[in-house]
Amino acid sequence: MSDRLLHLPLAGVPGHLVRRLAALIAGTDEPVPMFPMLVLEAVTTRPWSSATFEGQRHRLDLRLHGDAACIGAALDRLIEVLPEAEFELPRQIVAEARLTSLRVDPDPAVAALALTIEVLTVTD
């Protein structure tokens, strides 16, 4: 494996989600290239239930770094494919995945985009 590939040691359902989101952002199911660079800033997981289902809500705070064109293309891809994206998770089904927050870094010397993605998984 090349040192230019993204390595994400995060385990469990959050790890699967982040790896799949990285592939969606890069536009490939192959090993994910480093640019645009994806930085995982925080992951929050909490239990969720309804009258008929149990699962978890996952909040993923991410940041994309790279040149502006690269980040723009990655964001366009993510917005297009996220609502219908397939996630292979052990004993979980993704009921909803959505982009809930998007902020451009105000520093003109840095091309960076902060985004929050929320994912609802239900137990299969």
Side-chain angles (χ1 to χ4, degrees):
M1 202 175 252
S2 166
D3 62 339
R4 292 192 37 85
L5 299 180
L6 179 65
H7 301 279
L8 294 168
L10 189 63
V13 171
H16 287 286
L17 292 172
V18 171
R19 283 187 285 282
R20 183 63 181 132
L21 288 170
L24 291 173
I25 288 167
T28 179
D29 284 328
E30 299 302 314
V32 181
M34 294 240 336
F35 293 100
M37 184 187 319
L38 176 66
V39 177
L40 175 63
E41 294 187 328
V43 176
T44 306
T45 298
R46 61 184 169 90
W48 173 89
S49 64
S50 69
T52 55
F53 296 103
E54 289 186 356
Q56 297 176 318
R57 283 202 177 272
H58 308 273
R59 178 186 164 134
L60 307 162
D61 293 316
L62 308 167
R63 184 174 292 272
L64 288 175
H65 291 272
D67 66 60
C70 186
I71 290 174
L75 179 61
D76 288 346
R77 262 192 311 279
L78 182 64
I79 289 170
E80 180 181 336
V81 301
L82 184 61
E84 302 300 323
E86 295 290 325
F87 293 83
E88 292 183 24
L89 302 173
R91 299 175 302 282
Q92 299 281 319
I93 296 170
V94 172
E96 178 183 49
R98 60 192 175 107
L99 179 65
T100 59
S101 174
L102 180 64
R103 295 179 323 277
V104 175
D105 194 317
D107 183 351
V110 177
L113 185 67
L115 48 115
T116 300
I117 296 175
E118 293 184 8
V119 179
L120 173 62
T121 59
V122 294
T123 304
D124 186 15

